[in-house]
Structure formats: structure tokens, C-alpha cells
Amino acid sequence: MISQQNEHQLKAHPYFIESEDIDKIHTLFGPGTLDSNNKQLALALELALYSLFCSFIFVMILLPTHPVAIQNLFPNTQLNDPVGLMIWIKMALFIASLVPLFWALHQSSKRLKGRLFLKRHKA
């Protein structure tokens, strides 16, 4: 019975590594971003980063500010300073939201710089 179990060995198939799209990922962050093949991918990345920034800000705005509402958010926790805790949470969310915002702005500036470069050389 043990010899029968050893006959069926599992094989790993590297489908993801052999994929054609994996070769395009490194060009998103390099000088080849403005190639026609990567424009849609770069724009999708840029829009996703802006939406991530907006979701951080949206969650930060939705969090309560009144002590009773904050205490109801954490019902089984004894909070000495619920407003201070919420300020720390909102500050952390705001700082975390700056990363995707600046990365998206960097992607936008690369895209716009490429458009201006193409307009100058076509004219």
C-alpha cells in the first residue's frame, strides 16, 4: 500500500512564471512606461492608487469623533481617552494615504511629461 502512494507524485507547473504578462511588469516602473503596450496598464495602476487614497480618506472621515460613539465602536475595551485614540487612528490613516497619493502623482507626472515630450517632437 505504501508503494502505491509513492507512485502518484505531484508535479508543480510554473504557469505564472512562464506567463507573458510577467515580463511587462518591470517596465511599469522603468523608462519604458510610455510604450504603447503599457499605457493602459500604467493608467490602471494610476487610477487604482488614486482610489486607494480616496478610500483611506473616506474611512478616516467616516470614523466617529464623539466619545460615546468611539466607545460603542470598541464595546469590550476600557478606553481612557477615546478621542485621543481616534485622533491617532485618523492620523495614521492620513499618513498611510499619502503613500498611494504621491505614487499616483508621480505616475501622472510621468504620463503628462511623456505627452508634452511627444507634442514637442511632433510639432
Side-chain angles (χ1 to χ4, degrees):
M1 185 168 177
I2 295 175
S3 63
Q4 290 176 353
Q5 289 177 353
N6 290 337
E7 290 176 9
H8 301 287
Q9 294 178 357
L10 297 175
K11 294 182 180 179
H13 297 285
Y15 292 114
F16 184 70
I17 295 174
E18 294 176 356
S19 175
E20 296 173 4
D21 292 336
I22 196 72
D23 294 333
K24 296 178 184 177
I25 298 256
H26 73 280
T27 59
L28 270 179
F29 309 105
T33 302
L34 298 172
D35 294 343
S36 61
N37 297 337
N38 293 328
K39 281 183 181 178
Q40 292 177 344
L41 200 53
L43 183 62
L45 175 67
E46 184 181 335
L47 292 176
L49 288 167
Y50 281 125
S51 63
L52 182 62
F53 165 73
C54 291
S55 67
F56 274 117
I57 298 299
F58 183 71
V59 168
M60 187 180 76
I61 290 171
L62 285 182
L63 286 173
T65 55
H66 298 292
V68 176
I70 296 169
Q71 190 64 42
N72 289 337
L73 196 61
F74 304 103
N76 296 329
T77 307
Q78 178 65 31
L79 297 175
N80 295 330
D81 184 17
V83 176
L85 173 71
M86 196 52 60
I87 289 173
W88 275 101
I89 291 172
K90 287 184 176 191
M91 185 176 60
L93 282 171
F94 176 71
I95 291 171
S97 72
L98 293 178
V99 174
L101 173 68
F102 288 136
W103 195 14
L105 288 173
H106 174 68
Q107 293 292 325
S108 296
S109 69
K110 285 195 320 188
R111 183 173 47 86
L112 293 173
K113 185 168 56 171
R115 281 187 180 175
L116 292 173
F117 180 77
L118 288 175
K119 282 184 181 179
R120 269 192 218 138
H121 288 287
K122 284 184 179 179

